[in-house]
Amino acid sequence: MWPDLIQKSKDGGLDVIETYVFWSGHEPEKNKYNFEGRYDLVKFVKLAAKAGLYVHLRIGPYVCAEWNYGGFPVWLHFVPGIKFRTDNEPFKAEMQRFTTKIVDLMKQEKLYASQGGPIILSQIENEYGNIDSAYGAAAKSYIKWSASMALSLDTGVPWNMCQQADAPDPMINTCNGFYCDQFTPNSNNKPKMWTENWSGWFLGFGDPSPYRPVEDLAFAVARFYQRGGTFQNYYMYHGGTNFDRTSGGPLISTSYDYDAPIDEYGLLRQPKWGHLRDLHKAIKLCEDSLIATDPTITSLGSNLEAAVYKTSGSCAAFLANVGTKSDATVTFNGQSYHLPAWSVSILPDCKNVAFNTAKINSATVSTAFALQSLKPDGGSSAELGSQWSYIKEPIGISKTDAFLKPGLLEQINTTADKSDYLWYSLRMDIKGDETFLDEGSKAVLHIESIGQVVYAFINGKLAGSGHGKQKITLDIPIDLVAGKNTIDLLSVTVGLANYGAFFDLVGAGITGPVTLKSAKSGSSIDLASQQWTYQVGLKGEDTGLTTGDSPEWVSKTPLPTKQPLVWYKTTFDAPSGSEPVAIDFTGTGKGIAWVNGQSIGRYWPTSIAGNNGCTDSCDYRGSYRANKCLKNCGKPSQTLYHVPRSWLKPSGNTLVLLEEMGGDPTQISFTKKQTGSSLCLMVSQSHPAPVDTWTSDSKISKKKRTRPVLSLQCPVSTQVISSIKFASFGTPKGTCGSFTRGHCNSSRSLSVVQKACIGLRSCNLEVSTRVFGEPCRGVVMSLAVEASCS
């Protein structure tokens, strides 16, 4: 996917591709490096260069990124005497060794700009300033050491530290956040840089989906350049997928879509991508002025501001209305300008508006998932079941490397994160006269865990389960028998902590107390201090079930469903066409899935978002925050899981599921994400003309520039506009897909649009009374169109 994603980034007006370098991915075991496949860092950098783009290499090596353990390999935790991210010799030695490895790799390939390559900037550490106070005086010396260590590697290009106000010279301290226009670097010799402009927010299992309106995102970017910004990076421009067990958290979803301009599947998210593309063009029209001088900033009234970049030969201006309630009309250089609330207008010649952040000229393009069932044509459900085979994972201890230990062990120290799974098993004898066997009342098993999922099995049967982000407390009524009883507790991690001071010490697993209490007498037994048997991981993980090759698969019917801890396997043909592919896991519980041996990540469609916080629409005006704009309340956080096309063969593909919670795999289906056939857009007479009508030498006449245009283009090159579902010039209302006519409407709206657009891939309509007539006077009119392509 990389070449296509990089080209779409360039087409969207980007100059630089920014990437983290994931230590846990590149050195999964100490001194055993991985630069293959999707970890081929050199190839990635070279592809960016081939497309004519620069690269910002954020080595870290702590990256956060909602990545498992913040991108640190878990083996690092076991280095004797180590303390992460502080003035600690074992940590500094490992950090320097890995950073040097990456820099040397880039140098060998001549990839730094100082060698003629694309890398213009590198980062060391990451957002340490957010949490460094927790590390005391050692934090100051650690940052100084990090800076000098990085500089000693002699890359010939600058280094930055984001969110590090005391970054020592010549390290460039940079800003991360939703807005960075008020940020000032710690020296006048350093450029004002924004490493992460959050285009949305990440999704957690159990949470609704966050999104960020593009009007606000564009406002934040324009404000940054209005106030002297030099470098701004979207986090994310393409978010992608947390394949395998890479998502951190805990409880961060497999999807890392981030409401980015290029979505998780590599498709353009419109109008976000198009509106930002136009913004980038408008800013670049101001380039001569922006790089020549600092802005002169003046007030035009309450919440109104002008910034002018003027030299002897050029002039560019930004006019901002930072109020959240009211539109405003301002006078600037003797002319009048309309500024919507919470918007910035960009004037590349200090006279004419090329772009306003709140006025979108890019059409909304629908996308949809088309279901493709695994069920054969005409097949019954029985036939579908027969296509699946299964293996039941043993409950409790089944591996020869199990071991005994008194007390409850912390999970990460025990598993080294080689698996999400850790069994805690206890055998106990119950005498016939004990109160735990009183008729009419059950014993209660009390369990406390720090996460993130716990299943309790009593004598081989599931008795109860629970999940939580930091703390799980369970009280499970259980049935015991006289004589031998087995208590098997399965603790499951869903991504290790990735952020915060001392995040590496957060821990996981069943830490206790664990007690057995008589519901009748109230007496209890402390189980936590007893002798437990431990097993790291599941038997099926060790016996190669993930590839589907084992001879143990059972094909008998009926298929066992809605049972915990069952492995399932089926084969399938790749969905036809070239559209991106996902699996809809509706009907399953929770687990991990593999396609042709490649882990597509953890699935958990039964993790349901809360009911609060979502709205039908989100007002872009006013400061954005992660929970401001939410959708999908009361629904599964994630049902669709991306399967890259490159992982599929035309036929004979193998899908393996480890279903830990209990579900019915025959209900899952394949889907293709398709760019929809519907286009819609509303452009008013107050919109600026398309930014493409500008030239940097300002030769286009003002008269032509001031005429707005509604442009439609079918997203697929083989499509043409086949019908116009709605057209109104006047005062139309509503949003895309639900436009309605207002009190004022030109009777020729539909016929004019049909004549201009039907049968063509693209069409342009001037939004003016010259084209549509004058259905009413004294109002600013708009043209709203919804079209279909086929």
Side-chain angles (χ1 to χ4, degrees), residues 367-373 575 579-580 582 669-674:
T367 56
F369 285 94
L371 285 179
Q372 295 208 329
S373 176
E579 300 98 332
S669 55
F670 273 78
T671 70
K672 295 192 293 187
K673 187 162 195 190
Q674 298 173 333

Side-chain angles (χ1 to χ4, degrees), residues 141-185:
S141 51
Y142 166 65
I143 280 299
K144 288 179 180 174
W145 170 85
S146 297
S148 61
M149 182 271 287
L151 291 168
S152 73
L153 298 175
D154 194 25
T155 63
V157 303
W159 287 86
N160 77 289
M161 288 180 162
C162 68
Q163 299 292 82
Q164 196 64 47
D166 60 352
D169 294 341
M171 288 279 157
I172 304 166
N173 65 306
T174 64
C175 180
N176 286 4
F178 293 116
Y179 308 93
C180 284
D181 50 289
Q182 302 298 320
F183 168 75
T184 305

